[in-house]
């Protein structure tokens, strides 16, 4: 059973930074689609950023230039560096991974880590 565990969430003032991490067990991030999603209170879950099997990244317009996805060389940790945070970035952030290309969707999800940005 693949398990994804997020960490690094917390409270920060607008303009601040946070770094989220996602640790995987029984899964390697190196060759499959992976990404970060978020869900704000009262809103639907939205895609933040994905990185595909060939390394192609796809950022949501709302975070492009502020957030950066990365993975370690061992393929066991996925990270999301979030800079210049805004109150509208407040949400539960989820790590996700798939068994193939991103177009086929995600197969595994973490339980999430909460990010709160105050103005």
């Amino acid at each position: 059973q693949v398990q994804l565990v997020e960490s690094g969430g917390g409270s920060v003032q607008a303009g601040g930074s946070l770094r989220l991490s996602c640790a995987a067990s029984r899964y390697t991030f190196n060759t499959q689609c992976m990404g970060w999603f978020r869900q704000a209170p009262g809103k639907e879950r939205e895609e933040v950023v994905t990185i595909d099997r060939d390394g192609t990244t796809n950022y949501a317009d709302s975070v492009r230039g502020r957030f950066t996805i990365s993975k370690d060389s061992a393929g066991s940790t996925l990270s999301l560096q979030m800079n210049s945070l805004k109150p509208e970035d407040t949400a539960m952030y989820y790590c996700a991974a798939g068994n193939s290309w991103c177009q086929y969707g995600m197969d595994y999800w973490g339980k999430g880590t909460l990010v709160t940005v105050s103005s």
Side-chain angles (χ1 to χ4, degrees), residues 6-45:
E6 304 94 337
S7 61
S11 297
V12 65
Q13 289 191 326
S17 298
L18 283 174
R19 186 177 181 87
L20 306 184
S21 295
C22 177
S25 62
R26 301 184 180 85
Y27 186 87
T28 302
F29 289 124
N30 274 340
T31 59
Q32 313 298 346
C33 170
M34 63 211 82
W36 290 93
F37 294 73
R38 68 185 181 186
Q39 186 168 19
K43 295 186 177 181
E44 293 187 354
R45 185 176 64 196

Side-chain angles (χ1 to χ4, degrees), residues 4 11 13 17-18 23-24 26 30-31 38 45 47 54 56-57 62 72 87 93 97-99 102 109-110:
L4 304 177
S11 297
Q13 289 191 326
S17 298
L18 283 174
R26 301 184 180 85
N30 274 340
T31 59
R38 68 185 181 186
R45 185 176 64 196
E47 179 180 304
D54 60 359
T56 301
T57 56
S62 58
D72 70 345
Y93 283 72
N99 287 320
C102 287
W109 295 84

Side-chain angles (χ1 to χ4, degrees), residues 35-116:
W36 290 93
F37 294 73
R38 68 185 181 186
Q39 186 168 19
K43 295 186 177 181
E44 293 187 354
R45 185 176 64 196
E46 63 174 348
E47 179 180 304
V48 176
V49 58
T50 58
I51 180 167
D52 218 326
R53 298 180 70 179
D54 60 359
T56 301
T57 56
N58 184 37
Y59 288 90
D61 289 341
S62 58
V63 306
R64 187 176 292 112
R66 299 188 297 121
F67 290 11
T68 304
I69 191 172
S70 62
K71 53 187 178 181
D72 70 345
S73 57
S76 61
T77 303
L78 183 71
S79 298
L80 182 66
Q81 179 65 42
M82 306 186 296
N83 298 327
S84 302
L85 283 161
K86 305 176 181 179
E88 51 263 44
D89 294 319
T90 295
M92 185 72 79
Y93 283 72
Y94 299 91
C95 170
N99 287 320
S100 184
W101 295 92
C102 287
Q103 67 182 92
Y104 297 110
M106 300 298 183
D107 299 289
Y108 310 107
W109 295 84
K111 294 184 178 181
T113 185
L114 182 62
V115 172
T116 303

